[in-house]
Every structure is written in structure tokens, then in C-alpha cells.
Amino acid sequence: MSNPLKSQQIDRQMAQQTTATARNLAALAESDPAVYSALLGEEQRERDGIELIPSENYTFPEVLTVLGSVFTNKYSEGYPGRRYYGGQTFTDEIENLARDRAKAVFNCEHANVQPLSGSAMNQAVYLGLLTPGDTIMAMDLSHGGHLTHGAPVSHMGDLFNFVRYVTDPVDGSIDFDRVRADAHRTKPKMMLCGYTSYPRDIDYAAFKAIADEVGAITMTDASHFGGLVAGKAMANPFDFGFDLVTTTTHKSLRGPRGGMILCRKPFAKKIDKSVFPGLQGGPHMNAVAGIAVTLQKAQTAEFQRYAADVLSNAQVLAKEFKQAGVSLVTGGTDNHMLVLNTMASFGIDGRVAEEALDQVQITTNKQIIPDDPNPPLRPSGIRIGTPAATARGMGSQEMVQLADWMLRCLRAPEDSAVLETVRAEVEALCQRFPVPGI
Ligand SMILES: *Cc1c(COP(=O)(O)O)cnc(C)c1O
């Protein structure tokens, strides 16, 4: 085979390990070397590079174990105690654990842990609580909202009448005067906050007050920062009387890929019916088991420390970049994420920046900035975040180093000597910080 890793690694795996996992892995290596070598390649990529995409993370080793477990074999349409197939003793146990832990972690009255992803979870909320054509207010995509917040290219954008709010052109925060004026003018049935590219916290009290004035249901899509709410490092929208919070489980929460809908009691029945049978069939019980494992961890002091470290690491990066004169969208960060205007700071677009950093194995993503004059595939900035690096145990010292490497690359994106030097230094650092689960 072309991958030189393959035969060595297979030999080592087979010689050293006798567990079922190792046997299964060896079977894969033998029956499907193409997939096995891609798996080894991805492990190496994750080990030897620094992951700065703010929506990515390293899940817990225990989550990897249950994801690859026999729970993947089971059909369990319905909910605990009310299933459409037999043999549900242990799936009921797992789903009840996941739901109870979700309610405890997020301090809410009801939890649905079955959505297959963040997108399905938001669709289930809109379709379950509203009627097509209803008005929903949400953040504009180019100002930090997500595709599922009614972007014109999305199916939900067609089905519902999305009114999009934007950020203030001066300080970059949500312009609440405009949100209020738009809410009174358009009378939305639902008001949605939450973001995928916005480096600030949300003023939930201000948002809820406006929603109450117009009688709108309040929803936060906490997909990016769900883990930081769980770890008590960021505010919990339920403390401000919000009706619903949705979150992916694989971003800052460090769980399996999936979504959760958390809500107040009066919405529980409609939400459950909307997820199943409204939108989905059988839930992925291996992922539900992973959510249960994750939410047990989320209740520990160690996880709270992790969430606090994610934020303090982002603060260190912001300070280093500001000292170097880099233009940051909103001027800094309150959360785990920074958006760098690479066009203004280095005279290069986000794609060139992303590609230069890729060459030194620092993974970021190009990012449109508010009212970006550039096209989406060549936007003006990049977006970075600290959840994954922090999960490896990297702290403020490493963040200072990381900012320095990034500055060197972004100032000389074509200089192969610089890129080679930095790449070697990145690899050396990565060796000292093992990836959880590999
Ligand atoms: C990531 C994200 C989603 C979608 O999650 P998928 O699992 O990728 O479908 C939804 N909303 C927000 C705000 C997100 O950041």
C-alpha cells in the first residue's frame, strides 16, 4: 500500500493489544486497508497540528468508545417507556441518563437528546412550534448567524419569513435599538439569538425584554458555546427566562456529533413530537450514549476548569494580536473565538491566510466579516477558537507562542523558509500535548 504507516502500525497494534477494540481495528486494517490508512492519517493530522477552528474539539476517549459500541445496532424509535420496538432496556437507561443529566447541567425543565445534528435540531424547533410563513428574527449570516438561522440558501429560509438583525458598524456588538425597532415593525413569532461567528456574549436580558414586548418565543442557539454554559464560564439563557436553548454536542461541549433541544415544560410535548415522528426516525443511540457520558463529565470541577481555560486562552490570544496591531472584529472577545480581519491587518484575504496556516499545520477557517466587501470564498478574515487546543492542555504560554507563529506566517505567507521553520516548531509543541483519545 502507498501509505508507509500502514504495515508498521498494523504490526504494532496486533502485537500489543488484545482488547476487542484492537481486534476490531485489526479486522478493519485487514479487510479495508484504504479506510484504515485514512484513519491513521487523520489520527496523525490531529496529533501533529494545532486545531483552531472554533467549532471543533477533541471528544472524550470514553465517548469514542461508546460511539463505536453495540448501541449503534439498536433501533429505538420513540422515547423511553414509549418505544415502537422491543428490547429497549438499555437504550431506555441510556436516554434517561442523558436527558436527566442535560436537565441538571443546563438547569432546564425538559431535554430532547435525539436530534441527529445541529441543523436537524433547529429545524425541529421551527417546524414544531411555528407554521410555515411565520416570522422569525435571527442574526444575519455575514454578521455571525448560522446557515440554519434562515440563510436564503437554506430550506428553512424558504419556508419561514426570516427577518435578520445585524451588528453595530462601530463597536461590532448587536444593535439592540435596531432589533427593537425591527421586532415592533415585523412582529416575529420567535426571536432567535446565538451565533457561529460572533466573538461577544449576548445581552439575554435585553433580548428577552424586546421579545416580551412583542410576545415572541425566545430561543438561543448555543451550538458554539453550549460547553461554556455547561461549564458555568458563560451565562445560561434559562437564567433570563428564555423558552428554548438548542446546542450541538460536539463543539465546546466535547461530546459526540449531535444536537439537543432544551426547553421549558410548556414546549416539551411539541418539541418531542417534532423531533420524532415529525422530522426523524430512529435516533442514533450510540450518540445518545456519548451525550450521557459527556454530560456526566460536564458536571465535574475539571470540566468547569476547562471551560474557564478556554476563555482565558482566548483572552491571551486577543491581547497578543492587539499588541501586534491586528484588527479584530468587535475589537476583542468575550468567548472562545476571535475573528481576525486579515485583509486590514496583513493585506491578504482569508483564503490566503488559511492556506498559509495550513502549511504549518495550524488549522483555521476563512471567514466573512460583517458587511464583507469580498466574496465568500475569498472573504476578508479568518476565524479561530481555543476549545480544541485547550482540550489538549495548552495554556497561556502556548497561546503566546501560537500568536507569534501565526503573526510570522501571516506577515510572510509566501516565504517557504519561514513556513518550514514554524511548521517544525508547531510539531515539536504538539508532541508535548497528546490528543485525548489517540
Ligand atoms: C454548528 C452550528 C449549527 C449546526 O450544527 P451541525 O451539527 O453542523 O448541523 C447550528 N447552529 C449554530 C449556531 C452552529 O454553530
Side-chain angles (χ1 to χ4, degrees):
M1 285 284 111
S2 57
N3 190 330
L5 276 174
K6 198 199 120 212
S7 61
Q8 292 168 11
Q9 293 262 352
I10 294 172
D11 290 349
R12 218 179 311 143
Q13 289 279 355
M14 289 173 106
Q16 287 175 354
Q17 296 180 319
T18 54
T19 61
T21 309
R23 278 202 309 276
N24 295 346
L25 212 50
L28 175 67
E30 197 165 317
S31 68
D32 197 338
V35 168
Y36 184 67
S37 71
L39 174 63
L40 293 187
E42 177 62 13
E43 284 189 358
Q44 184 170 28
R45 190 194 69 81
E46 294 191 15
R47 217 175 12 225
D48 292 350
I50 300 179
E51 183 54 72
L52 287 187
I53 295 173
S55 50
E56 292 192 16
N57 215 328
Y58 303 108
T59 194
F60 298 104
E62 296 91 329
V63 171
L64 289 177
T65 299
V66 294
L67 281 177
S69 73
V70 295
F71 278 118
T72 202
N73 297 338
K74 190 72 198 111
Y75 247 110
S76 42
E77 286 171 329
Y79 292 98
R82 296 178 287 128
R83 305 276 194 195
Y84 290 82
Y85 297 131
Q88 306 290 350
T89 309
F90 303 106
T91 41
D92 276 7
E93 205 169 302
I94 284 298
E95 188 167 352
N96 279 327
L97 276 174
R99 294 202 296 195
D100 290 345
R101 289 172 181 175
K103 288 191 276 183
V105 167
F106 289 93
N107 190 22
C108 63
E109 294 172 353
H110 181 73
N112 188 305
V113 295
Q114 293 192 3
L116 303 180
S117 76
S119 298
M121 125 201 127
N122 285 345
Q123 288 169 16
V125 173
Y126 307 149
L127 295 166
L129 302 183
L130 306 172
T131 309
D134 280 354
T135 297
I136 305 175
M137 268 188 87
M139 200 169 193
D140 188 85
L141 183 74
S142 89
H143 288 250
H146 190 256
L147 273 173
T148 57
H149 300 175
V153 294
S154 71
H155 291 312
M156 294 301 119
D158 276 342
L159 270 183
F160 295 95
N161 173 37
F162 277 90
V163 175
R164 298 180 192 87
Y165 56 86
V166 295
T167 53
D168 185 287
V170 180
D171 70 3
S173 63
I174 294 170
D175 182 346
F176 277 103
D177 290 337
R178 190 153 159 200
V179 172
R180 172 171 276 113
D182 287 349
H184 282 270
R185 187 173 47 82
T186 62
K187 304 269 180 294
K189 289 258 170 62
M190 175 180 283
M191 288 181 63
L192 165 55
C193 60
Y195 49 77
T196 197
S197 180
Y198 177 67
R200 295 295 176 186
D201 203 356
I202 297 166
D203 186 343
Y204 295 111
F207 206 84
K208 172 84 166 96
I210 296 171
D212 285 349
E213 287 165 20
V214 299
I217 296 169
T218 41
M219 165 177 171
T220 301
D221 179 353
S223 284
H224 256 264
F225 52 93
L228 306 174
V229 174
K232 308 206 185 311
M234 289 186 77
N236 183 340
F238 286 118
D239 292 343
F240 298 85
F242 266 58
D243 296 315
L244 299 116
V245 174
T246 59
T247 180
T248 59
T249 49
H250 49 279
K251 297 181 182 175
S252 53
L253 199 53
R254 294 178 64 180
R257 304 198 84 81
M260 292 195 290
I261 303 172
L262 313 163
C263 64
R264 295 199 303 111
K265 257 270 156 54
F267 298 94
K269 262 209 171 109
K270 278 188 173 170
I271 288 297
D272 282 353
K273 269 179 69 177
S274 182
V275 173
F276 175 87
L279 190 65
Q280 297 184 174
H284 294 181
M285 289 312 295
N286 56 336
V288 171
I291 291 173
V293 168
T294 301
L295 291 171
Q296 192 266 344
K297 293 208 177 268
Q299 296 176 55
T300 62
E302 196 183 341
F303 190 83
Q304 292 184 10
R305 228 169 9 250
Y306 164 73
D309 288 347
V310 166
L311 294 193
S312 62
N313 278 343
Q315 288 302 318
V316 175
L317 285 178
K319 179 161 161 261
E320 294 297 310
F321 285 131
K322 276 200 282 197
Q323 271 173 3
V326 174
S327 162
L328 299 175
V329 171
T330 79
T333 179
D334 299 327
N335 56 26
H336 60 296
M337 166 189 338
L338 295 89
V339 183
L340 282 62
N341 184 333
T342 54
M343 210 65 215
S345 312
F346 308 99
I348 58 176
D349 66 48
R351 189 170 104 186
V352 174
E354 179 193 294
E355 282 170 2
L357 294 168
D358 257 344
Q359 288 188 54
V360 301
Q361 298 182 161
I362 293 175
T363 312
T364 64
N365 71 271
K366 55 182 160 299
Q367 178 64 43
I368 42 174
I369 63 171
D371 305 314
D372 203 325
N374 280 16
L377 287 174
R378 281 196 170 273
S380 298
I382 56 169
R383 186 182 67 144
I384 63 173
T386 52
T390 308
R392 287 175 91 155
M394 293 183 185
S396 58
Q397 237 180 316
E398 289 72 38
M399 294 303 118
V400 171
Q401 177 67 76
L402 191 53
D404 178 60
W405 284 330
M406 290 180 67
L407 289 167
R408 276 155 66 189
C409 295
L410 295 174
R411 284 172 181 150
E414 316 251 286
D415 187 332
S416 53
V418 169
L419 298 182
E420 251 167 61
T421 312
V422 172
R423 183 186 168 125
E425 290 176 21
V426 166
E427 265 193 51
L429 180 79
C430 286
Q431 306 235 317
R432 291 178 27 227
F433 292 91
V435 169
I438 301 187

mmCIF file of all heavy atoms in Angstrom, residues 55 116-122 126 144-149 192-197 221-225 246-251 257-259 337 383, ligand 1:
data_model
loop_
_atom_site.group_PDB
_atom_site.id
_atom_site.type_symbol
_atom_site.label_atom_id
_atom_site.label_comp_id
_atom_site.label_asym_id
_atom_site.label_seq_id
_atom_site.Cartn_x
_atom_site.Cartn_y
_atom_site.Cartn_z
ATOM 1 N N SER A 55 -15.334 25.674 16.062
ATOM 2 C CA SER A 55 -16.441 24.725 16.224
ATOM 3 C C SER A 55 -15.939 23.296 16.411
ATOM 4 O O SER A 55 -16.735 22.380 16.570
ATOM 5 C CB SER A 55 -17.347 24.784 14.996
ATOM 6 O OG SER A 55 -16.575 24.681 13.811
ATOM 7 N N LEU A 116 -30.192 14.560 15.261
ATOM 8 C CA LEU A 116 -29.020 13.933 14.661
ATOM 9 C C LEU A 116 -27.884 14.920 14.422
ATOM 10 O O LEU A 116 -26.739 14.527 14.254
ATOM 11 C CB LEU A 116 -29.405 13.258 13.335
ATOM 12 C CG LEU A 116 -30.518 12.217 13.451
ATOM 13 C CD1 LEU A 116 -30.822 11.606 12.087
ATOM 14 C CD2 LEU A 116 -30.150 11.116 14.443
ATOM 15 N N SER A 117 -28.219 16.203 14.388
ATOM 16 C CA SER A 117 -27.180 17.222 14.236
ATOM 17 C C SER A 117 -27.768 18.557 14.639
ATOM 18 O O SER A 117 -28.971 18.661 14.927
ATOM 19 C CB SER A 117 -26.705 17.305 12.785
ATOM 20 O OG SER A 117 -27.683 17.998 12.022
ATOM 21 N N GLY A 118 -26.896 19.570 14.618
ATOM 22 C CA GLY A 118 -27.369 20.902 14.968
ATOM 23 C C GLY A 118 -28.420 21.405 13.995
ATOM 24 O O GLY A 118 -29.383 22.067 14.381
ATOM 25 N N SER A 119 -28.253 21.100 12.726
ATOM 26 C CA SER A 119 -29.211 21.602 11.741
ATOM 27 C C SER A 119 -30.586 20.979 11.956
ATOM 28 O O SER A 119 -31.602 21.694 11.969
ATOM 29 C CB SER A 119 -28.708 21.306 10.328
ATOM 30 O OG SER A 119 -27.484 21.967 10.119
ATOM 31 N N ALA A 120 -30.635 19.662 12.153
ATOM 32 C CA ALA A 120 -31.914 18.993 12.389
ATOM 33 C C ALA A 120 -32.577 19.525 13.660
ATOM 34 O O ALA A 120 -33.800 19.684 13.720
ATOM 35 C CB ALA A 120 -31.697 17.482 12.484
ATOM 36 N N MET A 121 -31.769 19.813 14.644
ATOM 37 C CA MET A 121 -32.311 20.297 15.923
ATOM 38 C C MET A 121 -33.024 21.645 15.727
ATOM 39 O O MET A 121 -34.132 21.845 16.222
ATOM 40 C CB MET A 121 -31.164 20.344 16.932
ATOM 41 C CG MET A 121 -30.855 21.620 17.652
ATOM 42 S SD MET A 121 -29.154 21.595 18.290
ATOM 43 C CE MET A 121 -28.571 23.144 17.595
ATOM 44 N N ASN A 122 -32.408 22.549 14.981
ATOM 45 C CA ASN A 122 -33.063 23.847 14.760
ATOM 46 C C ASN A 122 -34.300 23.696 13.873
ATOM 47 O O ASN A 122 -35.324 24.340 14.109
ATOM 48 C CB ASN A 122 -32.071 24.838 14.144
ATOM 49 C CG ASN A 122 -31.062 25.341 15.171
ATOM 50 O OD1 ASN A 122 -31.265 25.182 16.373
ATOM 51 N ND2 ASN A 122 -29.983 25.932 14.703
ATOM 52 N N TYR A 126 -38.248 24.997 14.700
ATOM 53 C CA TYR A 126 -39.074 25.873 13.845
ATOM 54 C C TYR A 126 -40.345 25.138 13.417
ATOM 55 O O TYR A 126 -41.451 25.675 13.491
ATOM 56 C CB TYR A 126 -38.328 26.300 12.575
ATOM 57 C CG TYR A 126 -36.963 26.930 12.769
ATOM 58 C CD1 TYR A 126 -35.965 26.759 11.802
ATOM 59 C CD2 TYR A 126 -36.652 27.697 13.890
ATOM 60 C CE1 TYR A 126 -34.706 27.329 11.945
ATOM 61 C CE2 TYR A 126 -35.391 28.270 14.049
ATOM 62 C CZ TYR A 126 -34.425 28.082 13.071
ATOM 63 O OH TYR A 126 -33.180 28.630 13.203
ATOM 64 N N GLY A 144 -22.601 36.925 11.677
ATOM 65 C CA GLY A 144 -22.266 35.906 12.673
ATOM 66 C C GLY A 144 -23.320 34.837 12.885
ATOM 67 O O GLY A 144 -23.092 33.868 13.589
ATOM 68 N N GLY A 145 -24.518 35.000 12.263
ATOM 69 C CA GLY A 145 -25.556 33.976 12.409
ATOM 70 C C GLY A 145 -25.184 32.702 11.662
ATOM 71 O O GLY A 145 -24.228 32.678 10.881
ATOM 72 N N HIS A 146 -25.942 31.620 11.919
ATOM 73 C CA HIS A 146 -25.663 30.343 11.244
ATOM 74 C C HIS A 146 -26.566 30.178 10.028
ATOM 75 O O HIS A 146 -27.621 30.805 9.943
ATOM 76 C CB HIS A 146 -25.890 29.194 12.236
ATOM 77 C CG HIS A 146 -25.421 27.863 11.735
ATOM 78 N ND1 HIS A 146 -26.277 26.896 11.269
ATOM 79 C CD2 HIS A 146 -24.168 27.348 11.613
ATOM 80 C CE1 HIS A 146 -25.572 25.826 10.898
ATOM 81 N NE2 HIS A 146 -24.295 26.071 11.095
ATOM 82 N N LEU A 147 -26.138 29.309 9.115
ATOM 83 C CA LEU A 147 -26.959 28.948 7.945
ATOM 84 C C LEU A 147 -28.386 28.601 8.330
ATOM 85 O O LEU A 147 -29.344 28.979 7.647
ATOM 86 C CB LEU A 147 -26.358 27.714 7.264
ATOM 87 C CG LEU A 147 -25.272 27.906 6.220
ATOM 88 C CD1 LEU A 147 -24.729 26.542 5.818
ATOM 89 C CD2 LEU A 147 -25.834 28.623 4.997
ATOM 90 N N THR A 148 -28.528 27.854 9.443
ATOM 91 C CA THR A 148 -29.864 27.408 9.870
ATOM 92 C C THR A 148 -30.682 28.537 10.487
ATOM 93 O O THR A 148 -31.795 28.310 10.944
ATOM 94 C CB THR A 148 -29.774 26.261 10.900
ATOM 95 O OG1 THR A 148 -28.996 26.717 12.019
ATOM 96 C CG2 THR A 148 -29.130 25.028 10.307
ATOM 97 N N HIS A 149 -30.120 29.727 10.542
ATOM 98 C CA HIS A 149 -30.892 30.872 11.043
ATOM 99 C C HIS A 149 -31.545 31.615 9.882
ATOM 100 O O HIS A 149 -31.617 32.841 9.860
ATOM 101 C CB HIS A 149 -29.987 31.809 11.858
ATOM 102 C CG HIS A 149 -29.363 31.146 13.056
ATOM 103 N ND1 HIS A 149 -28.439 31.753 13.868
ATOM 104 C CD2 HIS A 149 -29.536 29.899 13.569
ATOM 105 C CE1 HIS A 149 -28.074 30.924 14.836
ATOM 106 N NE2 HIS A 149 -28.731 29.793 14.669
ATOM 107 N N LEU A 192 -34.614 34.697 17.846
ATOM 108 C CA LEU A 192 -33.521 33.740 17.999
ATOM 109 C C LEU A 192 -32.204 34.481 18.160
ATOM 110 O O LEU A 192 -31.879 35.363 17.357
ATOM 111 C CB LEU A 192 -33.504 32.860 16.733
ATOM 112 C CG LEU A 192 -32.301 31.988 16.379
ATOM 113 C CD1 LEU A 192 -31.943 31.067 17.515
ATOM 114 C CD2 LEU A 192 -32.628 31.179 15.136
ATOM 115 N N CYS A 193 -31.482 34.153 19.224
ATOM 116 C CA CYS A 193 -30.109 34.664 19.312
ATOM 117 C C CYS A 193 -29.161 33.477 19.354
ATOM 118 O O CYS A 193 -29.569 32.331 19.521
ATOM 119 C CB CYS A 193 -29.923 35.607 20.501
ATOM 120 S SG CYS A 193 -30.264 34.888 22.096
ATOM 121 N N GLY A 194 -27.884 33.748 19.224
ATOM 122 C CA GLY A 194 -26.897 32.681 19.085
ATOM 123 C C GLY A 194 -26.195 32.902 17.770
ATOM 124 O O GLY A 194 -26.702 33.611 16.900
ATOM 125 N N TYR A 195 -25.018 32.297 17.647
ATOM 126 C CA TYR A 195 -24.151 32.675 16.532
ATOM 127 C C TYR A 195 -23.157 31.582 16.219
ATOM 128 O O TYR A 195 -22.947 30.644 16.997
ATOM 129 C CB TYR A 195 -23.377 33.939 16.918
ATOM 130 C CG TYR A 195 -22.738 33.825 18.286
ATOM 131 C CD1 TYR A 195 -21.575 33.079 18.476
ATOM 132 C CD2 TYR A 195 -23.314 34.430 19.412
ATOM 133 C CE1 TYR A 195 -21.005 32.946 19.720
ATOM 134 C CE2 TYR A 195 -22.740 34.299 20.669
ATOM 135 C CZ TYR A 195 -21.586 33.560 20.819
ATOM 136 O OH TYR A 195 -21.021 33.421 22.057
ATOM 137 N N THR A 196 -22.545 31.754 15.068
ATOM 138 C CA THR A 196 -21.480 30.847 14.685
ATOM 139 C C THR A 196 -20.175 31.618 14.491
ATOM 140 O O THR A 196 -19.103 31.047 14.496
ATOM 141 C CB THR A 196 -21.906 30.075 13.408
ATOM 142 O OG1 THR A 196 -21.084 28.957 13.246
ATOM 143 C CG2 THR A 196 -21.861 30.943 12.170
ATOM 144 N N SER A 197 -20.286 32.933 14.346
ATOM 145 C CA SER A 197 -19.079 33.751 14.205
ATOM 146 C C SER A 197 -19.311 35.131 14.799
ATOM 147 O O SER A 197 -19.527 36.104 14.079
ATOM 148 C CB SER A 197 -18.690 33.862 12.729
ATOM 149 O OG SER A 197 -17.528 34.659 12.606
ATOM 150 N N ASP A 221 -29.603 29.659 20.194
ATOM 151 C CA ASP A 221 -28.848 28.565 19.591
ATOM 152 C C ASP A 221 -27.426 28.671 20.147
ATOM 153 O O ASP A 221 -26.616 29.467 19.692
ATOM 154 C CB ASP A 221 -28.851 28.685 18.068
ATOM 155 C CG ASP A 221 -28.045 27.583 17.391
ATOM 156 O OD1 ASP A 221 -27.375 26.810 18.104
ATOM 157 O OD2 ASP A 221 -28.085 27.498 16.144
ATOM 158 N N ALA A 222 -27.160 27.845 21.172
ATOM 159 C CA ALA A 222 -25.872 27.893 21.875
ATOM 160 C C ALA A 222 -24.875 26.886 21.307
ATOM 161 O O ALA A 222 -23.940 26.483 22.001
ATOM 162 C CB ALA A 222 -26.097 27.639 23.372
ATOM 163 N N SER A 223 -25.083 26.502 20.044
ATOM 164 C CA SER A 223 -24.253 25.447 19.451
ATOM 165 C C SER A 223 -22.759 25.637 19.693
ATOM 166 O O SER A 223 -22.050 24.690 19.992
ATOM 167 C CB SER A 223 -24.488 25.385 17.939
ATOM 168 O OG SER A 223 -25.716 24.753 17.690
ATOM 169 N N HIS A 224 -22.291 26.872 19.536
ATOM 170 C CA HIS A 224 -20.850 27.103 19.703
ATOM 171 C C HIS A 224 -20.418 27.082 21.153
ATOM 172 O O HIS A 224 -19.361 26.575 21.492
ATOM 173 C CB HIS A 224 -20.451 28.437 19.069
ATOM 174 C CG HIS A 224 -19.750 28.268 17.773
ATOM 175 N ND1 HIS A 224 -18.389 28.263 17.674
ATOM 176 C CD2 HIS A 224 -20.219 28.035 16.534
ATOM 177 C CE1 HIS A 224 -18.048 28.053 16.421
ATOM 178 N NE2 HIS A 224 -19.146 27.913 15.701
ATOM 179 N N PHE A 225 -21.250 27.638 22.030
ATOM 180 C CA PHE A 225 -20.791 27.866 23.403
ATOM 181 C C PHE A 225 -21.550 27.032 24.440
ATOM 182 O O PHE A 225 -21.455 27.296 25.639
ATOM 183 C CB PHE A 225 -20.859 29.363 23.739
ATOM 184 C CG PHE A 225 -22.207 29.996 23.441
ATOM 185 C CD1 PHE A 225 -23.177 30.079 24.422
ATOM 186 C CD2 PHE A 225 -22.491 30.498 22.185
ATOM 187 C CE1 PHE A 225 -24.417 30.655 24.165
ATOM 188 C CE2 PHE A 225 -23.729 31.070 21.897
ATOM 189 C CZ PHE A 225 -24.692 31.148 22.885
ATOM 190 N N THR A 246 -30.997 25.560 22.135
ATOM 191 C CA THR A 246 -30.513 24.411 21.379
ATOM 192 C C THR A 246 -28.987 24.447 21.418
ATOM 193 O O THR A 246 -28.383 25.513 21.536
ATOM 194 C CB THR A 246 -30.976 24.442 19.905
ATOM 195 O OG1 THR A 246 -30.500 25.644 19.278
ATOM 196 C CG2 THR A 246 -32.487 24.378 19.798
ATOM 197 N N THR A 247 -28.376 23.277 21.342
ATOM 198 C CA THR A 247 -26.914 23.245 21.251
ATOM 199 C C THR A 247 -26.450 21.975 20.548
ATOM 200 O O THR A 247 -27.058 20.917 20.707
ATOM 201 C CB THR A 247 -26.248 23.338 22.642
ATOM 202 O OG1 THR A 247 -24.815 23.308 22.484
ATOM 203 C CG2 THR A 247 -26.648 22.185 23.567
ATOM 204 N N THR A 248 -25.414 22.123 19.751
ATOM 205 C CA THR A 248 -24.754 20.914 19.266
ATOM 206 C C THR A 248 -24.028 20.305 20.450
ATOM 207 O O THR A 248 -23.764 20.975 21.457
ATOM 208 C CB THR A 248 -23.711 21.207 18.167
ATOM 209 O OG1 THR A 248 -22.737 22.099 18.699
ATOM 210 C CG2 THR A 248 -24.352 21.804 16.927
ATOM 211 N N THR A 249 -23.672 19.033 20.329
ATOM 212 C CA THR A 249 -22.992 18.370 21.445
ATOM 213 C C THR A 249 -21.520 18.132 21.156
ATOM 214 O O THR A 249 -20.789 17.656 22.025
ATOM 215 C CB THR A 249 -23.698 17.027 21.756
ATOM 216 O OG1 THR A 249 -23.869 16.296 20.532
ATOM 217 C CG2 THR A 249 -25.061 17.266 22.366
ATOM 218 N N HIS A 250 -21.069 18.489 19.942
ATOM 219 C CA HIS A 250 -19.698 18.146 19.558
ATOM 220 C C HIS A 250 -18.754 19.332 19.499
ATOM 221 O O HIS A 250 -17.602 19.189 19.118
ATOM 222 C CB HIS A 250 -19.707 17.450 18.193
ATOM 223 C CG HIS A 250 -20.511 18.169 17.145
ATOM 224 N ND1 HIS A 250 -21.877 18.054 17.060
ATOM 225 C CD2 HIS A 250 -20.152 19.017 16.167
ATOM 226 C CE1 HIS A 250 -22.318 18.799 16.063
ATOM 227 N NE2 HIS A 250 -21.293 19.405 15.502
ATOM 228 N N LYS A 251 -19.225 20.533 19.830
ATOM 229 C CA LYS A 251 -18.335 21.698 19.749
ATOM 230 C C LYS A 251 -17.707 21.911 21.131
ATOM 231 O O LYS A 251 -16.979 21.048 21.583
ATOM 232 C CB LYS A 251 -19.099 22.892 19.192
ATOM 233 C CG LYS A 251 -19.589 22.615 17.757
ATOM 234 C CD LYS A 251 -20.332 23.775 17.121
ATOM 235 C CE LYS A 251 -20.819 23.390 15.725
ATOM 236 N NZ LYS A 251 -21.657 24.455 15.125
ATOM 237 N N ARG A 257 -21.036 13.876 17.821
ATOM 238 C CA ARG A 257 -21.775 14.762 16.919
ATOM 239 C C ARG A 257 -23.270 14.556 17.163
ATOM 240 O O ARG A 257 -23.764 13.428 17.153
ATOM 241 C CB ARG A 257 -21.449 14.446 15.456
ATOM 242 C CG ARG A 257 -19.984 14.506 15.137
ATOM 243 C CD ARG A 257 -19.735 14.614 13.661
ATOM 244 N NE ARG A 257 -19.831 15.988 13.239
ATOM 245 C CZ ARG A 257 -18.848 16.890 13.369
ATOM 246 N NH1 ARG A 257 -17.699 16.545 13.889
ATOM 247 N NH2 ARG A 257 -19.013 18.125 12.972
ATOM 248 N N GLY A 258 -23.973 15.654 17.397
ATOM 249 C CA GLY A 258 -25.404 15.556 17.652
ATOM 250 C C GLY A 258 -25.945 16.902 18.097
ATOM 251 O O GLY A 258 -25.225 17.907 18.077
ATOM 252 N N GLY A 259 -27.210 16.916 18.456
ATOM 253 C CA GLY A 259 -27.830 18.151 18.927
ATOM 254 C C GLY A 259 -28.775 17.870 20.081
ATOM 255 O O GLY A 259 -29.236 16.737 20.258
ATOM 256 N N MET A 337 -13.705 32.594 20.875
ATOM 257 C CA MET A 337 -13.488 32.791 19.436
ATOM 258 C C MET A 337 -12.962 34.186 19.132
ATOM 259 O O MET A 337 -13.286 35.151 19.815
ATOM 260 C CB MET A 337 -14.859 32.556 18.791
ATOM 261 C CG MET A 337 -15.014 32.988 17.407
ATOM 262 S SD MET A 337 -16.701 32.928 16.761
ATOM 263 C CE MET A 337 -17.648 31.801 17.723
ATOM 264 N N ARG A 383 -11.357 32.892 11.188
ATOM 265 C CA ARG A 383 -11.979 32.710 12.499
ATOM 266 C C ARG A 383 -11.156 31.677 13.245
ATOM 267 O O ARG A 383 -10.794 30.638 12.663
ATOM 268 C CB ARG A 383 -13.404 32.210 12.243
ATOM 269 C CG ARG A 383 -14.307 32.082 13.415
ATOM 270 C CD ARG A 383 -15.654 31.523 12.952
ATOM 271 N NE ARG A 383 -15.506 30.139 12.478
ATOM 272 C CZ ARG A 383 -16.415 29.174 12.658
ATOM 273 N NH1 ARG A 383 -17.548 29.444 13.271
ATOM 274 N NH2 ARG A 383 -16.206 27.957 12.199
HETATM 275 C C1 LIG B 1 -22.646 24.326 14.147
HETATM 276 C C2 LIG B 1 -23.901 25.070 14.271
HETATM 277 C C3 LIG B 1 -25.128 24.501 13.893
HETATM 278 C C4 LIG B 1 -25.269 23.233 13.067
HETATM 279 O O1 LIG B 1 -24.706 22.100 13.519
HETATM 280 P P1 LIG B 1 -24.468 20.833 12.545
HETATM 281 O O2 LIG B 1 -24.258 19.752 13.546
HETATM 282 O O3 LIG B 1 -23.261 21.179 11.747
HETATM 283 O O4 LIG B 1 -25.676 20.628 11.706
HETATM 284 C C5 LIG B 1 -26.287 25.218 14.154
HETATM 285 N N1 LIG B 1 -26.229 26.418 14.734
HETATM 286 C C6 LIG B 1 -25.066 27.016 15.078
HETATM 287 C C7 LIG B 1 -25.086 28.366 15.713
HETATM 288 C C8 LIG B 1 -23.863 26.367 14.856
HETATM 289 O O5 LIG B 1 -22.724 26.974 15.185
#
